[in-house]
């Protein structure tokens, strides 16, 4: 099992934690002094109060918590946040309110989930031709026919 070093930046911050034994994502928690209200169509930057050392060759991918996104309309504004392995600053989640009513984020509330995953950094080169596949250049909806 990999260990990730986490720096607590201020009181009230919580380490990422898994909600169950089989959870893929570790929950990130709001580190707030007071509740934050997010109006419909608005985005608020919610601090977690932590920084971490994502292992070299990996990234931390920050996703919505399904219940929060589906039931309250709150999800990361950038859909999936990317924490690079060389980033050492505070992890902040930009929560967007996709719903039609104001939502309140409370101190200590679980606001997103993060998965640590391996990443490739390939070298890109120009090619005159690409290999053929059954799909080739078939775009949006082409595989559903």
């Amino acid at each position: 099992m990999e260990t990730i070093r986490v720096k607590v930046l201020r009181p009230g911050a919580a380490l990422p934690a898994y909600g169950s034994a089989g959870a893929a994502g570790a929950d990130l928690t709001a580190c707030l002094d007071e509740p934050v209200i997010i109006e419909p169509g608005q985005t608020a930057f919610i601090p977690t109060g932590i920084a971490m050392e994502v292992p070299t060759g990996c990234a931390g991918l920050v996703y919505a918590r399904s219940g929060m996104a589906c039931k309250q309309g709150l999800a990361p504004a950038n859909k999936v946040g990317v924490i690079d392995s060389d980033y050492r600053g505070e992890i902040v989640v930009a929560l967007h309110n996709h719903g039609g009513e104001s939502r309140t984020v409370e101190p200590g509330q679980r606001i997103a989930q993060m998965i640590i995953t391996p990443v490739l950094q390939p070298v890109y080169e120009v090619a005159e031709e690409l290999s053929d596949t059954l799909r080739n250049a078939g775009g949006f909806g082409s595989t559903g026919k």
Side-chain angles (χ1 to χ4, degrees):
M1 174 156 302
E2 186 85 26
T3 299
I4 293 182
R5 293 167 44 97
V6 178
K7 183 177 183 180
V8 175
L9 302 174
R10 51 196 144 118
L15 295 180
Y18 295 98
S20 70
D27 291 327
L28 297 175
T29 304
C31 185
L32 299 168
D33 294 327
E34 57 189 35
V36 171
I37 297 171
I38 308 174
E39 299 296 337
Q42 297 298 306
T43 300
F45 292 87
I46 308 296
T48 64
I50 61 171
M52 66 177 60
E53 290 182 8
V54 173
T56 300
C58 294
L61 301 181
V62 179
Y63 294 97
R65 295 190 71 249
S66 57
M68 195 171 177
C70 296
K71 295 177 182 175
Q72 297 180 40
L74 291 177
N78 53 346
K79 307 304 180 218
V80 178
V82 178
I83 310 299
D84 298 312
S85 65
D86 58 353
Y87 177 68
R88 294 294 185 268
E90 181 174 14
I91 296 172
V92 176
V93 178
L95 274 185
H96 184 78
N97 184 348
H98 296 275
E101 58 187 76
S102 299
R103 295 294 184 190
T104 301
V105 178
E106 300 287 343
Q109 183 176 347
R110 296 175 297 162
I111 56 169
Q113 58 182 324
M114 182 174 58
I115 296 174
I116 304 295
T117 187
V119 294
L120 300 175
Q121 285 187 319
V123 174
Y124 296 93
E125 65 180 22
V126 175
E128 295 297 320
E129 298 291 328
L130 300 177
S131 61
D132 282 333
T133 68
L134 290 175
R135 182 177 183 183
N136 272 331
F140 297 104
S142 65
T143 62
K145 296 180 182 174

